[in-house]
Every structure is written in structure tokens, then in C-alpha cells.
Amino acid sequence: MRTIDGKFTTSTSAWSRVWRDVRLLAHLGRQIVQYWTKGSRIRRSYRRKDDRGEVYWLD
Amino acid sequence: MKPSDPPPPEYAFAYHSPPASGNDINGLGVTESRRAEHVFHDATGGPLPHHALDAFFSYINPWGVVRHLLANTWRLRKQDGPVNPERVAANDPEKMAGEIKAEATRLGAELVGITEITDEAIYEGHEVSYRYAICIGLSMDRNEMVHVPQTRAAVEVMRCYRRVSRIAVELGEKIRSMGWPARAYGNPNSTDILHIPLAIQAGLGQLGKHGSIINRTFGSNFRLAAVLTDLPLATDRPVDIGVDDLCLTCRRCVIDCPPQALSDEKQLVRGTTKWYVDFDKCVPYFVKTFGCAICIEVCPWSEPGRGPGLSDRLLARRSTSGNDRED
Ligand code: SF4
Ligand code: SF4
């Protein structure tokens, strides 16, 4: 999951601002889906390993 | 205060092939002056050495934290924007600084200071085309923060970032409406700049042994955002509230930091001797606890109402007895 920098923020015309909002909403939507799908798997696996005294490998 | 049931510094996550030490990347022990580099989190998503830990961190954070982060990201889409072609004259930087500070306060800022942007506050590989930084501080709800390192404190941290970002975004919009370029920076989307050096230069506080800024009123119990602009503004000066006088003998944060990431000695970092947090010890604990923050909350300066009297006593003691320090 990533936050953003200038790529969504430099729009100047009204139309480009609408387009910026649409792209950012899509970006945030993807992040939410990832948090609840891939993230759920990671959280479950991490908790299980933590309970068993095993290691969750980051790489 | 005492931290609320801190878990031990033992980790159920690790690297097969650990990346370069964050302390080396930060320039610990380096005598030459150079800019800071991103180690852990960079909003551009660039391949940072500790990227895997950052990604893991963002996935294990509770939804209560993540939802504020996402809402803040949405807010910060307005960090930049069109500048009014009709420019308001700004011939009196002193008066303009007063007006901008009043506007920031009206928007909800509790601390505002202005400084010229220096190289040490810009990350390596990043460029900033503005001359001034308006640094904004907002205190966190201490009733929540006394629960560090529990989740409710982590939620409050992110909630505060969201609130202070709103102030920065609205102040940036106000300046652009006056015909001057301005860009708001709120964490965690502050890829270009380091907030703490800017805020210290802007007179919001001093660096403490725990590596965070200490303000006379709020201690370290506040969060920062900034607006960078070319609007001509009178700048503030760094303050001396007596932080070093206390840090040289106080050991509260050192004792209470579970992974022992804090040191009683200042360290040489990129050519400057200063208080430094051991990245490799702090960050795993920070990740495990979703932001830790024990050191900033146990600091005596962060106790509500204590800072002003503490500062007065420390400065008075210094002026009457030279090198005496408070325990
Ligand atoms: S934030 Fe880092 S330095 Fe501060 S107490 Fe926690 S682990 Fe220690
Ligand atoms: S807890 Fe004590 S040593 Fe640590 S930053 Fe605060 S005053 Fe300084």
C-alpha cells in the first residue's frame, strides 16, 4: 500500500481536477481492496506465526 | 506517565537478507554534511532499502489507522493547484507573516512558525522550488496518547495528521487565491521535505533526546504539516526553551524505550552532532506497535501544563548558575 506524492496534485484546469479525483479514487479503491484481501492474508499469516513462535519472512 | 503495557521488543517478522542498516543510510558517523535519504517510507513508491518492512507495516496496521491515512491521502490531492493570476501585493513581509499566521490560527493551527527553506530540510534527489516554509503544529488528544503503544494512540496520531493536513491544504489554497504559489505538505505524503528541521528553524521547538521536536506548550505531543510558498514573509528564529539542559540529565525516554533505541550521547549524523534515534532498533518496534510513540509521550515536556514552568526554571537556573542541570 502506498501513499501519494505530486502525481495526483498538480492539476490546474477544472477538467484535469475532475480526472485527478477519478484517478485518485480508483487508486484509493485499489488500496482498500488490497488491504482487505492481500492484507488480510498477511495479517492472518503473521498472527499465526507470532502465536506459534515462528517467523514471518518479509522477503 | 508510564507506557501502557508495552510488548517486549521481540519480533515475529524478519528478513532472510537484511537490507543495509538504516543508520548507515541515515549517515550515522558520517562527517560530511549531506542531505537525508529516504529509508523506510517514500510516497513516490520508489524502491527503498526497507520497502518490504514499510509494505508489511501498511498491511498489518489496524483499519482504524488505515482509514485516516486514506482519508488524508484524499485530502492532500489538493496540496497544490491553480494560482490566481491576479497577485495581491506583498510589500510588507512582516505584516503578511502576521496575516498568514492569523489565518492559520483561524483554520485551527495551534502552532505556526515561518522559516526559509534550507538544504538540510530537503531529501536527497528531491527539489523544492519555494523559498519559505510555514510550519504548522497541532496537538494530539492526550487522553488517547497516554495509551501508547496501544492501537488507540496510533489512531489518534493518524487522526491528528489528518486534521493538521486539512489546515495546511486550506492555507495553501488561501495563498494561491492571493496569486502566490504554495504547496501543502502533510504526513505521510511529505516526500520532499523533513518537517522537524524546518519546524525547529521556524521556532516551534527544539530537538530532544528522543529525536523529536519539543515545544514549550505541547512538549512532543503534537504533529506537523507545512505550506511551502514564495509569498514574501518575515521569518521566525529558532528558540531556546532549555531542552538540552534537561535532556543532558533526564533519562526518561531512554529508560522507557523498549528496544533501547535512544542514547544518552549526541551522535555525529551527516556532519552534525545531534540527538539521534537508532533506526535499526526503533523501526521494528515501531512497526510491531503501529507507531510506538512511547518516547514522546513519557517525556516530561509532554505532560499538559508542565512545559512553560519547566522552561522558565531551566532558563533561570542556567542564567544564575551557569552549567547546572535539572534532574
Ligand atoms: S518510537 Fe522508537 S525510539 Fe521512541 S520509544 Fe518507540 S521504539 Fe523507542
Ligand atoms: S524524556 Fe527527558 S531526555 Fe527524553 S527528550 Fe524528554 S526531556 Fe529529553
Side-chain angles (χ1 to χ4, degrees), chain A residues 2-6 9 17 20-21 24 34-35 43 56-59, chain B residues 12-14 16-17 41-44 51 59 61 63 76-77 80 189:
Chain A
R2 310 294 325 171
T3 46
I4 59 161
D5 70 337
T9 61
R17 284 200 296 280
R20 169 202 68 189
D21 289 0
L24 182 56
Q34 273 191 7
Y35 178 83
R43 287 190 294 279
Y56 178 93
W57 296 105
L58 298 169
D59 52 347
Chain B
F13 54 88
H16 282 110
S17 324
H41 180 82
D42 174 356
T44 62
H51 163 77
Y59 284 124
N61 255 291
W63 176 244
L76 284 162
R77 77 195 188 283
D80 209 339
N189 283 355

PDB file of all heavy atoms in Angstrom, chain A residues 2-6 9 17 20-21 24 34-35 43 56-59, chain B residues 12-14 16-17 41-44 51 59 61 63 76-77 80 189:
ATOM      1  N   ARG A   2       0.578   2.186  -0.891  1.00  0.00           N
ATOM      2  CA  ARG A   2       1.393   3.384  -0.982  1.00  0.00           C
ATOM      3  C   ARG A   2       0.534   4.617  -0.739  1.00  0.00           C
ATOM      4  O   ARG A   2      -0.650   4.634  -1.062  1.00  0.00           O
ATOM      5  CB  ARG A   2       2.017   3.562  -2.375  1.00  0.00           C
ATOM      6  CG  ARG A   2       2.716   2.389  -2.927  1.00  0.00           C
ATOM      7  CD  ARG A   2       3.948   1.972  -2.190  1.00  0.00           C
ATOM      8  NE  ARG A   2       4.740   3.046  -1.628  1.00  0.00           N
ATOM      9  CZ  ARG A   2       5.765   2.804  -0.805  1.00  0.00           C
ATOM     10  NH1 ARG A   2       6.065   1.574  -0.469  1.00  0.00           N
ATOM     11  NH2 ARG A   2       6.468   3.792  -0.319  1.00  0.00           N
ATOM     12  N   THR A   3       1.148   5.642  -0.212  1.00  0.00           N
ATOM     13  CA  THR A   3       0.505   6.949  -0.210  1.00  0.00           C
ATOM     14  C   THR A   3       0.914   7.643  -1.500  1.00  0.00           C
ATOM     15  O   THR A   3       1.488   7.018  -2.371  1.00  0.00           O
ATOM     16  CB  THR A   3       0.930   7.730   1.038  1.00  0.00           C
ATOM     17  OG1 THR A   3       2.325   7.615   1.183  1.00  0.00           O
ATOM     18  CG2 THR A   3       0.234   7.175   2.259  1.00  0.00           C
ATOM     19  N   ILE A   4       0.625   8.910  -1.632  1.00  0.00           N
ATOM     20  CA  ILE A   4       0.871   9.557  -2.926  1.00  0.00           C
ATOM     21  C   ILE A   4       1.870  10.695  -2.789  1.00  0.00           C
ATOM     22  O   ILE A   4       2.174  11.151  -1.718  1.00  0.00           O
ATOM     23  CB  ILE A   4      -0.423  10.139  -3.520  1.00  0.00           C
ATOM     24  CG1 ILE A   4      -1.025  11.160  -2.548  1.00  0.00           C
ATOM     25  CG2 ILE A   4      -1.390   9.057  -3.873  1.00  0.00           C
ATOM     26  CD1 ILE A   4      -1.995  12.098  -3.191  1.00  0.00           C
ATOM     27  N   ASP A   5       2.365  11.175  -3.928  1.00  0.00           N
ATOM     28  CA  ASP A   5       3.073  12.447  -3.911  1.00  0.00           C
ATOM     29  C   ASP A   5       2.420  13.327  -4.965  1.00  0.00           C
ATOM     30  O   ASP A   5       1.213  13.299  -5.138  1.00  0.00           O
ATOM     31  CB  ASP A   5       4.571  12.258  -4.149  1.00  0.00           C
ATOM     32  CG  ASP A   5       4.849  11.850  -5.572  1.00  0.00           C
ATOM     33  OD1 ASP A   5       3.935  11.309  -6.219  1.00  0.00           O
ATOM     34  OD2 ASP A   5       5.964  12.085  -6.048  1.00  0.00           O
ATOM     35  N   GLY A   6       3.216  14.106  -5.706  1.00  0.00           N
ATOM     36  CA  GLY A   6       2.648  15.105  -6.604  1.00  0.00           C
ATOM     37  C   GLY A   6       1.838  14.566  -7.773  1.00  0.00           C
ATOM     38  O   GLY A   6       1.137  15.318  -8.426  1.00  0.00           O
ATOM     39  N   THR A   9      -1.656  15.745  -7.730  1.00  0.00           N
ATOM     40  CA  THR A   9      -1.961  17.017  -7.075  1.00  0.00           C
ATOM     41  C   THR A   9      -1.651  18.264  -7.888  1.00  0.00           C
ATOM     42  O   THR A   9      -1.888  19.361  -7.415  1.00  0.00           O
ATOM     43  CB  THR A   9      -1.198  17.118  -5.749  1.00  0.00           C
ATOM     44  OG1 THR A   9       0.191  17.065  -6.037  1.00  0.00           O
ATOM     45  CG2 THR A   9      -1.581  16.005  -4.804  1.00  0.00           C
ATOM     46  N   ARG A  17      -8.778  18.474 -12.895  1.00  0.00           N
ATOM     47  CA  ARG A  17      -9.004  18.205 -11.465  1.00  0.00           C
ATOM     48  C   ARG A  17     -10.036  17.092 -11.275  1.00  0.00           C
ATOM     49  O   ARG A  17      -9.891  16.237 -10.407  1.00  0.00           O
ATOM     50  CB  ARG A  17      -9.439  19.479 -10.736  1.00  0.00           C
ATOM     51  CG  ARG A  17      -8.274  20.429 -10.484  1.00  0.00           C
ATOM     52  CD  ARG A  17      -8.592  21.415  -9.379  1.00  0.00           C
ATOM     53  NE  ARG A  17      -9.694  22.310  -9.695  1.00  0.00           N
ATOM     54  CZ  ARG A  17      -9.592  23.397 -10.457  1.00  0.00           C
ATOM     55  NH1 ARG A  17      -8.426  23.722 -10.993  1.00  0.00           N
ATOM     56  NH2 ARG A  17     -10.639  24.162 -10.695  1.00  0.00           N
ATOM     57  N   ARG A  20      -8.189  13.990 -12.088  1.00  0.00           N
ATOM     58  CA  ARG A  20      -7.325  13.677 -10.939  1.00  0.00           C
ATOM     59  C   ARG A  20      -8.122  12.967  -9.843  1.00  0.00           C
ATOM     60  O   ARG A  20      -7.700  11.950  -9.306  1.00  0.00           O
ATOM     61  CB  ARG A  20      -6.746  14.984 -10.378  1.00  0.00           C
ATOM     62  CG  ARG A  20      -6.048  14.840  -9.030  1.00  0.00           C
ATOM     63  CD  ARG A  20      -5.967  16.165  -8.281  1.00  0.00           C
ATOM     64  NE  ARG A  20      -7.286  16.629  -7.852  1.00  0.00           N
ATOM     65  CZ  ARG A  20      -7.532  17.833  -7.335  1.00  0.00           C
ATOM     66  NH1 ARG A  20      -6.556  18.704  -7.230  1.00  0.00           N
ATOM     67  NH2 ARG A  20      -8.751  18.172  -6.949  1.00  0.00           N
ATOM     68  N   ASP A  21      -9.316  13.500  -9.548  1.00  0.00           N
ATOM     69  CA  ASP A  21     -10.125  12.918  -8.474  1.00  0.00           C
ATOM     70  C   ASP A  21     -10.543  11.492  -8.821  1.00  0.00           C
ATOM     71  O   ASP A  21     -10.532  10.602  -7.965  1.00  0.00           O
ATOM     72  CB  ASP A  21     -11.364  13.774  -8.202  1.00  0.00           C
ATOM     73  CG  ASP A  21     -11.000  15.091  -7.526  1.00  0.00           C
ATOM     74  OD1 ASP A  21      -9.787  15.308  -7.272  1.00  0.00           O
ATOM     75  OD2 ASP A  21     -11.899  15.910  -7.275  1.00  0.00           O
ATOM     76  N   LEU A  24      -7.507   9.255  -8.487  1.00  0.00           N
ATOM     77  CA  LEU A  24      -7.138   9.047  -7.077  1.00  0.00           C
ATOM     78  C   LEU A  24      -8.160   8.155  -6.374  1.00  0.00           C
ATOM     79  O   LEU A  24      -7.786   7.288  -5.574  1.00  0.00           O
ATOM     80  CB  LEU A  24      -7.000  10.392  -6.351  1.00  0.00           C
ATOM     81  CG  LEU A  24      -6.579  10.305  -4.882  1.00  0.00           C
ATOM     82  CD1 LEU A  24      -5.273   9.532  -4.699  1.00  0.00           C
ATOM     83  CD2 LEU A  24      -6.425  11.701  -4.272  1.00  0.00           C
ATOM     84  N   GLN A  34      -6.939  -4.089  -1.628  1.00  0.00           N
ATOM     85  CA  GLN A  34      -5.693  -4.799  -1.268  1.00  0.00           C
ATOM     86  C   GLN A  34      -5.582  -4.988   0.240  1.00  0.00           C
ATOM     87  O   GLN A  34      -5.127  -6.029   0.709  1.00  0.00           O
ATOM     88  CB  GLN A  34      -4.479  -4.004  -1.739  1.00  0.00           C
ATOM     89  CG  GLN A  34      -4.080  -4.316  -3.148  1.00  0.00           C
ATOM     90  CD  GLN A  34      -2.718  -3.711  -3.484  1.00  0.00           C
ATOM     91  OE1 GLN A  34      -2.029  -3.184  -2.632  1.00  0.00           O
ATOM     92  NE2 GLN A  34      -2.358  -3.786  -4.750  1.00  0.00           N
ATOM     93  N   TYR A  35      -5.977  -3.961   0.991  1.00  0.00           N
ATOM     94  CA  TYR A  35      -5.882  -4.054   2.455  1.00  0.00           C
ATOM     95  C   TYR A  35      -6.733  -5.212   2.962  1.00  0.00           C
ATOM     96  O   TYR A  35      -6.332  -5.944   3.863  1.00  0.00           O
ATOM     97  CB  TYR A  35      -6.323  -2.737   3.108  1.00  0.00           C
ATOM     98  CG  TYR A  35      -6.304  -2.791   4.625  1.00  0.00           C
ATOM     99  CD1 TYR A  35      -5.120  -2.585   5.328  1.00  0.00           C
ATOM    100  CD2 TYR A  35      -7.465  -3.088   5.346  1.00  0.00           C
ATOM    101  CE1 TYR A  35      -5.095  -2.664   6.714  1.00  0.00           C
ATOM    102  CE2 TYR A  35      -7.443  -3.171   6.730  1.00  0.00           C
ATOM    103  CZ  TYR A  35      -6.251  -2.953   7.414  1.00  0.00           C
ATOM    104  OH  TYR A  35      -6.237  -3.043   8.787  1.00  0.00           O
ATOM    105  N   ARG A  43      -2.023 -10.438   7.472  1.00  0.00           N
ATOM    106  CA  ARG A  43      -2.296 -10.291   8.910  1.00  0.00           C
ATOM    107  C   ARG A  43      -2.556 -11.658   9.560  1.00  0.00           C
ATOM    108  O   ARG A  43      -2.068 -11.947  10.643  1.00  0.00           O
ATOM    109  CB  ARG A  43      -3.501  -9.349   9.135  1.00  0.00           C
ATOM    110  CG  ARG A  43      -3.170  -7.889   8.869  1.00  0.00           C
ATOM    111  CD  ARG A  43      -4.285  -6.965   9.329  1.00  0.00           C
ATOM    112  NE  ARG A  43      -5.526  -7.120   8.590  1.00  0.00           N
ATOM    113  CZ  ARG A  43      -5.769  -6.583   7.403  1.00  0.00           C
ATOM    114  NH1 ARG A  43      -4.849  -5.840   6.808  1.00  0.00           N
ATOM    115  NH2 ARG A  43      -6.925  -6.750   6.794  1.00  0.00           N
ATOM    116  N   TYR A  56       7.656 -14.597  10.340  1.00  0.00           N
ATOM    117  CA  TYR A  56       7.060 -14.170   9.068  1.00  0.00           C
ATOM    118  C   TYR A  56       8.167 -13.497   8.278  1.00  0.00           C
ATOM    119  O   TYR A  56       8.719 -12.479   8.708  1.00  0.00           O
ATOM    120  CB  TYR A  56       5.903 -13.194   9.344  1.00  0.00           C
ATOM    121  CG  TYR A  56       5.266 -12.684   8.065  1.00  0.00           C
ATOM    122  CD1 TYR A  56       4.167 -13.328   7.525  1.00  0.00           C
ATOM    123  CD2 TYR A  56       5.788 -11.570   7.414  1.00  0.00           C
ATOM    124  CE1 TYR A  56       3.597 -12.874   6.345  1.00  0.00           C
ATOM    125  CE2 TYR A  56       5.228 -11.114   6.234  1.00  0.00           C
ATOM    126  CZ  TYR A  56       4.134 -11.762   5.708  1.00  0.00           C
ATOM    127  OH  TYR A  56       3.577 -11.313   4.543  1.00  0.00           O
ATOM    128  N   TRP A  57       8.494 -14.074   7.111  1.00  0.00           N
ATOM    129  CA  TRP A  57       9.614 -13.534   6.324  1.00  0.00           C
ATOM    130  C   TRP A  57       9.137 -12.374   5.464  1.00  0.00           C
ATOM    131  O   TRP A  57       8.152 -12.492   4.742  1.00  0.00           O
ATOM    132  CB  TRP A  57      10.283 -14.616   5.494  1.00  0.00           C
ATOM    133  CG  TRP A  57      10.910 -15.663   6.370  1.00  0.00           C
ATOM    134  CD1 TRP A  57      10.447 -16.923   6.606  1.00  0.00           C
ATOM    135  CD2 TRP A  57      12.099 -15.518   7.162  1.00  0.00           C
ATOM    136  NE1 TRP A  57      11.249 -17.583   7.500  1.00  0.00           N
ATOM    137  CE2 TRP A  57      12.281 -16.744   7.853  1.00  0.00           C
ATOM    138  CE3 TRP A  57      13.019 -14.489   7.376  1.00  0.00           C
ATOM    139  CZ2 TRP A  57      13.339 -16.959   8.734  1.00  0.00           C
ATOM    140  CZ3 TRP A  57      14.079 -14.709   8.244  1.00  0.00           C
ATOM    141  CH2 TRP A  57      14.229 -15.917   8.911  1.00  0.00           C
ATOM    142  N   LEU A  58       9.848 -11.277   5.526  1.00  0.00           N
ATOM    143  CA  LEU A  58       9.469 -10.076   4.772  1.00  0.00           C
ATOM    144  C   LEU A  58       9.917 -10.148   3.316  1.00  0.00           C
ATOM    145  O   LEU A  58       9.359  -9.474   2.462  1.00  0.00           O
ATOM    146  CB  LEU A  58      10.097  -8.825   5.419  1.00  0.00           C
ATOM    147  CG  LEU A  58       9.667  -8.531   6.860  1.00  0.00           C
ATOM    148  CD1 LEU A  58      10.545  -7.444   7.456  1.00  0.00           C
ATOM    149  CD2 LEU A  58       8.203  -8.091   6.905  1.00  0.00           C
ATOM    150  N   ASP A  59      10.952 -10.958   3.051  1.00  0.00           N
ATOM    151  CA  ASP A  59      11.481 -11.006   1.677  1.00  0.00           C
ATOM    152  C   ASP A  59      11.450 -12.427   1.125  1.00  0.00           C
ATOM    153  O   ASP A  59      11.041 -13.360   1.799  1.00  0.00           O
ATOM    154  CB  ASP A  59      12.912 -10.466   1.628  1.00  0.00           C
ATOM    155  CG  ASP A  59      13.827 -11.149   2.653  1.00  0.00           C
ATOM    156  OD1 ASP A  59      13.338 -11.848   3.557  1.00  0.00           O
ATOM    157  OD2 ASP A  59      15.047 -10.960   2.530  1.00  0.00           O
TER     158      ASP A  59
ATOM    159  N   ALA B  12       8.168 -11.254  15.381  1.00  0.00           N
ATOM    160  CA  ALA B  12       7.827 -12.459  14.623  1.00  0.00           C
ATOM    161  C   ALA B  12       7.952 -12.185  13.128  1.00  0.00           C
ATOM    162  O   ALA B  12       7.339 -12.848  12.311  1.00  0.00           O
ATOM    163  CB  ALA B  12       6.405 -12.893  14.962  1.00  0.00           C
ATOM    164  N   PHE B  13       8.711 -11.150  12.756  1.00  0.00           N
ATOM    165  CA  PHE B  13       8.987 -10.876  11.337  1.00  0.00           C
ATOM    166  C   PHE B  13      10.481 -10.600  11.195  1.00  0.00           C
ATOM    167  O   PHE B  13      11.119 -10.100  12.137  1.00  0.00           O
ATOM    168  CB  PHE B  13       8.159  -9.701  10.811  1.00  0.00           C
ATOM    169  CG  PHE B  13       8.286  -8.436  11.614  1.00  0.00           C
ATOM    170  CD1 PHE B  13       9.291  -7.522  11.338  1.00  0.00           C
ATOM    171  CD2 PHE B  13       7.400  -8.155  12.652  1.00  0.00           C
ATOM    172  CE1 PHE B  13       9.413  -6.359  12.084  1.00  0.00           C
ATOM    173  CE2 PHE B  13       7.515  -6.991  13.400  1.00  0.00           C
ATOM    174  CZ  PHE B  13       8.529  -6.091  13.115  1.00  0.00           C
ATOM    175  N   ALA B  14      11.010 -10.948  10.043  1.00  0.00           N
ATOM    176  CA  ALA B  14      12.449 -10.750   9.807  1.00  0.00           C
ATOM    177  C   ALA B  14      12.737 -10.855   8.312  1.00  0.00           C
ATOM    178  O   ALA B  14      11.881 -11.279   7.532  1.00  0.00           O
ATOM    179  CB  ALA B  14      13.252 -11.814  10.558  1.00  0.00           C
ATOM    180  N   HIS B  16      15.181 -12.554   5.325  1.00  0.00           N
ATOM    181  CA  HIS B  16      16.216 -13.546   5.009  1.00  0.00           C
ATOM    182  C   HIS B  16      17.527 -12.810   4.741  1.00  0.00           C
ATOM    183  O   HIS B  16      18.574 -13.160   5.255  1.00  0.00           O
ATOM    184  CB  HIS B  16      15.838 -14.348   3.751  1.00  0.00           C
ATOM    185  CG  HIS B  16      14.821 -15.415   4.015  1.00  0.00           C
ATOM    186  ND1 HIS B  16      13.525 -15.342   3.545  1.00  0.00           N
ATOM    187  CD2 HIS B  16      14.912 -16.584   4.701  1.00  0.00           C
ATOM    188  CE1 HIS B  16      12.865 -16.417   3.934  1.00  0.00           C
ATOM    189  NE2 HIS B  16      13.673 -17.190   4.634  1.00  0.00           N
ATOM    190  N   SER B  17      17.431 -11.798   3.865  1.00  0.00           N
ATOM    191  CA  SER B  17      18.616 -10.991   3.542  1.00  0.00           C
ATOM    192  C   SER B  17      18.343  -9.573   3.996  1.00  0.00           C
ATOM    193  O   SER B  17      17.682  -8.816   3.278  1.00  0.00           O
ATOM    194  CB  SER B  17      18.883 -10.967   2.044  1.00  0.00           C
ATOM    195  OG  SER B  17      18.582 -12.188   1.467  1.00  0.00           O
ATOM    196  N   HIS B  41       9.899   4.899   4.258  1.00  0.00           N
ATOM    197  CA  HIS B  41       8.673   5.270   3.545  1.00  0.00           C
ATOM    198  C   HIS B  41       8.926   6.448   2.622  1.00  0.00           C
ATOM    199  O   HIS B  41       9.484   7.454   3.026  1.00  0.00           O
ATOM    200  CB  HIS B  41       7.569   5.647   4.534  1.00  0.00           C
ATOM    201  CG  HIS B  41       6.291   6.027   3.846  1.00  0.00           C
ATOM    202  ND1 HIS B  41       5.391   5.088   3.398  1.00  0.00           N
ATOM    203  CD2 HIS B  41       5.798   7.224   3.484  1.00  0.00           C
ATOM    204  CE1 HIS B  41       4.389   5.699   2.806  1.00  0.00           C
ATOM    205  NE2 HIS B  41       4.602   6.995   2.841  1.00  0.00           N
ATOM    206  N   ASP B  42       8.498   6.307   1.379  1.00  0.00           N
ATOM    207  CA  ASP B  42       8.612   7.388   0.406  1.00  0.00           C
ATOM    208  C   ASP B  42       7.327   7.340  -0.412  1.00  0.00           C
ATOM    209  O   ASP B  42       7.006   6.317  -1.011  1.00  0.00           O
ATOM    210  CB  ASP B  42       9.844   7.133  -0.476  1.00  0.00           C
ATOM    211  CG  ASP B  42       9.956   8.130  -1.618  1.00  0.00           C
ATOM    212  OD1 ASP B  42       9.048   8.958  -1.775  1.00  0.00           O
ATOM    213  OD2 ASP B  42      10.963   8.069  -2.350  1.00  0.00           O
ATOM    214  N   ALA B  43       6.581   8.450  -0.413  1.00  0.00           N
ATOM    215  CA  ALA B  43       5.269   8.436  -1.046  1.00  0.00           C
ATOM    216  C   ALA B  43       5.331   8.157  -2.540  1.00  0.00           C
ATOM    217  O   ALA B  43       4.329   7.808  -3.156  1.00  0.00           O
ATOM    218  CB  ALA B  43       4.571   9.771  -0.793  1.00  0.00           C
ATOM    219  N   THR B  44       6.486   8.327  -3.182  1.00  0.00           N
ATOM    220  CA  THR B  44       6.563   8.053  -4.612  1.00  0.00           C
ATOM    221  C   THR B  44       6.534   6.552  -4.880  1.00  0.00           C
ATOM    222  O   THR B  44       6.359   6.133  -6.012  1.00  0.00           O
ATOM    223  CB  THR B  44       7.874   8.598  -5.219  1.00  0.00           C
ATOM    224  OG1 THR B  44       8.962   7.937  -4.592  1.00  0.00           O
ATOM    225  CG2 THR B  44       7.992  10.091  -5.021  1.00  0.00           C
ATOM    226  N   HIS B  51      11.830  -1.093   2.026  1.00  0.00           N
ATOM    227  CA  HIS B  51      10.479  -1.068   1.448  1.00  0.00           C
ATOM    228  C   HIS B  51       9.617  -2.235   1.932  1.00  0.00           C
ATOM    229  O   HIS B  51       8.430  -2.073   2.229  1.00  0.00           O
ATOM    230  CB  HIS B  51      10.573  -1.090  -0.084  1.00  0.00           C
ATOM    231  CG  HIS B  51       9.286  -1.469  -0.736  1.00  0.00           C
ATOM    232  ND1 HIS B  51       8.236  -0.600  -0.851  1.00  0.00           N
ATOM    233  CD2 HIS B  51       8.872  -2.656  -1.264  1.00  0.00           C
ATOM    234  CE1 HIS B  51       7.221  -1.221  -1.430  1.00  0.00           C
ATOM    235  NE2 HIS B  51       7.574  -2.461  -1.693  1.00  0.00           N
ATOM    236  N   TYR B  59       0.189  -3.069   5.794  1.00  0.00           N
ATOM    237  CA  TYR B  59      -0.837  -4.125   5.785  1.00  0.00           C
ATOM    238  C   TYR B  59      -1.248  -4.574   7.181  1.00  0.00           C
ATOM    239  O   TYR B  59      -2.379  -4.992   7.383  1.00  0.00           O
ATOM    240  CB  TYR B  59      -0.358  -5.331   4.971  1.00  0.00           C
ATOM    241  CG  TYR B  59      -0.436  -5.101   3.483  1.00  0.00           C
ATOM    242  CD1 TYR B  59       0.686  -5.246   2.679  1.00  0.00           C
ATOM    243  CD2 TYR B  59      -1.636  -4.721   2.881  1.00  0.00           C
ATOM    244  CE1 TYR B  59       0.620  -5.024   1.318  1.00  0.00           C
ATOM    245  CE2 TYR B  59      -1.707  -4.489   1.515  1.00  0.00           C
ATOM    246  CZ  TYR B  59      -0.584  -4.640   0.741  1.00  0.00           C
ATOM    247  OH  TYR B  59      -0.661  -4.416  -0.591  1.00  0.00           O
ATOM    248  N   ASN B  61      -1.259  -2.647   9.864  1.00  0.00           N
ATOM    249  CA  ASN B  61      -1.904  -1.579  10.631  1.00  0.00           C
ATOM    250  C   ASN B  61      -3.399  -1.832  10.749  1.00  0.00           C
ATOM    251  O   ASN B  61      -4.037  -2.266   9.792  1.00  0.00           O
ATOM    252  CB  ASN B  61      -1.682  -0.239   9.917  1.00  0.00           C
ATOM    253  CG  ASN B  61      -0.644   0.599  10.620  1.00  0.00           C
ATOM    254  OD1 ASN B  61      -0.880   1.086  11.723  1.00  0.00           O
ATOM    255  ND2 ASN B  61       0.510   0.745   9.998  1.00  0.00           N
ATOM    256  N   TRP B  63      -7.413  -1.172  10.760  1.00  0.00           N
ATOM    257  CA  TRP B  63      -8.240  -0.387   9.854  1.00  0.00           C
ATOM    258  C   TRP B  63      -8.480   1.030  10.408  1.00  0.00           C
ATOM    259  O   TRP B  63      -8.543   2.010   9.663  1.00  0.00           O
ATOM    260  CB  TRP B  63      -9.564  -1.107   9.590  1.00  0.00           C
ATOM    261  CG  TRP B  63     -10.503  -0.305   8.741  1.00  0.00           C
ATOM    262  CD1 TRP B  63     -11.712   0.192   9.102  1.00  0.00           C
ATOM    263  CD2 TRP B  63     -10.280   0.098   7.376  1.00  0.00           C
ATOM    264  NE1 TRP B  63     -12.270   0.889   8.063  1.00  0.00           N
ATOM    265  CE2 TRP B  63     -11.414   0.841   6.990  1.00  0.00           C
ATOM    266  CE3 TRP B  63      -9.243  -0.081   6.462  1.00  0.00           C
ATOM    267  CZ2 TRP B  63     -11.541   1.413   5.714  1.00  0.00           C
ATOM    268  CZ3 TRP B  63      -9.369   0.488   5.193  1.00  0.00           C
ATOM    269  CH2 TRP B  63     -10.497   1.213   4.841  1.00  0.00           C
ATOM    270  N   LEU B  76      -5.116  15.404   0.646  1.00  0.00           N
ATOM    271  CA  LEU B  76      -3.873  16.005   0.132  1.00  0.00           C
ATOM    272  C   LEU B  76      -3.816  16.059  -1.397  1.00  0.00           C
ATOM    273  O   LEU B  76      -2.848  16.576  -1.946  1.00  0.00           O
ATOM    274  CB  LEU B  76      -2.659  15.257   0.701  1.00  0.00           C
ATOM    275  CG  LEU B  76      -2.363  15.600   2.167  1.00  0.00           C
ATOM    276  CD1 LEU B  76      -1.470  14.556   2.810  1.00  0.00           C
ATOM    277  CD2 LEU B  76      -1.732  16.981   2.288  1.00  0.00           C
ATOM    278  N   ARG B  77      -4.861  15.568  -2.069  1.00  0.00           N
ATOM    279  CA  ARG B  77      -4.886  15.751  -3.518  1.00  0.00           C
ATOM    280  C   ARG B  77      -4.941  17.242  -3.839  1.00  0.00           C
ATOM    281  O   ARG B  77      -4.606  17.663  -4.933  1.00  0.00           O
ATOM    282  CB  ARG B  77      -6.081  15.016  -4.141  1.00  0.00           C
ATOM    283  CG  ARG B  77      -7.417  15.725  -3.956  1.00  0.00           C
ATOM    284  CD  ARG B  77      -8.573  14.805  -4.260  1.00  0.00           C
ATOM    285  NE  ARG B  77      -9.867  15.499  -4.268  1.00  0.00           N
ATOM    286  CZ  ARG B  77     -10.535  15.876  -3.190  1.00  0.00           C
ATOM    287  NH1 ARG B  77     -10.042  15.646  -1.992  1.00  0.00           N
ATOM    288  NH2 ARG B  77     -11.707  16.495  -3.298  1.00  0.00           N
ATOM    289  N   ASP B  80      -1.678  21.055  -4.019  1.00  0.00           N
ATOM    290  CA  ASP B  80      -1.222  22.040  -4.989  1.00  0.00           C
ATOM    291  C   ASP B  80      -2.395  22.363  -5.894  1.00  0.00           C
ATOM    292  O   ASP B  80      -3.399  21.641  -5.889  1.00  0.00           O
ATOM    293  CB  ASP B  80      -0.062  21.458  -5.800  1.00  0.00           C
ATOM    294  CG  ASP B  80       0.887  22.539  -6.272  1.00  0.00           C
ATOM    295  OD1 ASP B  80       0.457  23.720  -6.325  1.00  0.00           O
ATOM    296  OD2 ASP B  80       2.034  22.210  -6.591  1.00  0.00           O
ATOM    297  N   ASN B 189       2.583  12.085   3.315  1.00  0.00           N
ATOM    298  CA  ASN B 189       2.869  12.388   1.909  1.00  0.00           C
ATOM    299  C   ASN B 189       3.892  13.499   1.752  1.00  0.00           C
ATOM    300  O   ASN B 189       3.783  14.317   0.857  1.00  0.00           O
ATOM    301  CB  ASN B 189       1.573  12.801   1.189  1.00  0.00           C
ATOM    302  CG  ASN B 189       0.711  11.615   0.879  1.00  0.00           C
ATOM    303  OD1 ASN B 189       1.124  10.485   1.118  1.00  0.00           O
ATOM    304  ND2 ASN B 189      -0.464  11.844   0.356  1.00  0.00           N
TER     305      ASN B 189
END
